[in-house]
Amino acid sequence: MARKISRRDLMKTGTAAGLAGAAASLTGAKAAPTMLTPQGVKPLVISDYSGFAYRNGGPQNCVERAFEMITGGSDVLDALMAGVNIVENDPTESGVGYGGLPNERGVVQLDSCCMHGPLKRAGGVAALEGVRTPSLVARAVMDQTDHHLLVGEGAQEFARHMGFAIEDDLNTPKSRELWLEWKRRVDPDHYLNPKERSIRGYEAGLAMLKEGLIPEHSFWGTVNCDGINAQGEICGVTTTSGLAWKIPGRAGDSPILGAGLYVDGDVGACGSTGRGEANLYNLTSFLIVENMRRGRHPKDAGMEGLRRIRSNTIEERLLNNRGEPAFNVRFFVLDKNGQYAGVSMYGAGELQYAICTENGAELLPLEGLLEGAPTD
Ligand code: GLY
């Protein structure tokens, strides 16, 4: 009987319990999972620092909202979406959604993806313009299409068809002012030499970072949020405006399954912030989930992922004076048993990540693989 339930039927059942039960029946017909579903997992939500720091003028931050909804019985992905929507809509967070720093032409282009562990479904959008909440469009790709990723104009057209409001400009006065400052520092003659231009533009951005004009989390600003409920159902979402002042059309790791986010409902979830290209090259979120599948604790799994990035970073322009990666990248890792960790290439810059449990929201120190700072 259960095997006759289609995925479309699953979406129509309407309750988290129904979804989870039907999905378990479906997956039960396949090869046994490598980790057993734990009984009585303690619900938990984990995110990067922005999931704690921003409230968009409201009473709750991202992890608090998601945790309240999860423990109130909402579908885990619905809860995580409601959480990250707070960050996306907050104009003071300049690395995500509305007010995220724009690309080199001054246009805000957003990336996001989401994964539903029990349903084993996913969706993503990249280089989406005009919608403050790309995570919800990624969710619509997951729910309404047979596809996993829509990009650029096609993603916007899809969003319009799905009833999302399309705005002409997602800049805020702050993001526009910072873009103008960056533009002032970049010689227009760079257009004659694309390679030099891209390096100098990146360096101008790094200089503004060092001068404290923009926080690190805005340069590669992203929010990743993952959660688990008492039934051990696990989901995740990642959303971002991507690298500040990027080449138009550049998509980072955030919309790419396995890079900015990976969820296997039988194993765990991992999402990332930081230099997307390093993460894309290694598909590190996937790698970290696979490490957990082999029995690694989230912290050890995350550290192995960081070591992989470190060993694959060999281009001189990406190395600091010590021959180590000249960038930071962070992973937020949650396993099927509710164990978690926040790890980063460097224990410098953005130092903390967030969790929310029955004890409320708190910030915890990220575990760094390397000493010092990326630019040392
Ligand atoms: N991790 C965000 C980005 O590189 O776009």
Side-chain angles (χ1 to χ4, degrees), residues 220 222 242-243 250 252-254 274-276:
W220 284 287
T222 303
L243 178 66
R250 176 265 187 189
D253 57 331
S254 300
R275 181 179 157 79

Side-chain angles (χ1 to χ4, degrees), residues 43 59 97 117 121 166 191 213 223 247 280 312 326 334 362 372:
R121 296 194 62 178
I166 310 294
Y191 284 96
L213 278 173
V223 56
I247 292 173
L280 277 168
N312 277 335
L334 173 62
E362 57 186 308

Side-chain angles (χ1 to χ4, degrees), residues 275-313:
R275 181 179 157 79
E277 282 72 11
N279 193 13
L280 277 168
Y281 187 81
N282 296 282
L283 286 181
T284 326
S285 290
F286 177 75
L287 178 68
I288 289 170
V289 170
E290 290 304 293
N291 289 340
M292 290 194 287
R293 190 191 303 280
R294 292 198 299 272
R296 295 275 194 278
H297 184 277
K299 180 184 162 190
D300 300 328
M303 286 296 178
E304 280 186 36
L306 289 167
R307 277 193 282 275
R308 178 71 62 89
I309 292 176
R310 183 188 184 196
S311 65
N312 277 335
T313 302

Side-chain angles (χ1 to χ4, degrees), residues 195 204-205 266 289 346:
K195 188 160 180 250
D266 299 326
V289 170
Y346 290 93

Side-chain angles (χ1 to χ4, degrees), residues 6 40 71 83 85 100 107 118 127-128 132 147 171-172 174 193 200 203 209 242 255 270 293 299 341 343 345 349:
S6 71
T71 50
N85 290 165
V107 178
L128 172 66
R132 295 185 184 202
H147 309 308
N171 276 292
T172 57
K174 180 183 164 194
N193 179 341
R200 289 174 65 179
E203 283 171 355
L209 195 72
C270 177
R293 190 191 303 280
K299 180 184 162 190
V343 299
M345 186 66 79

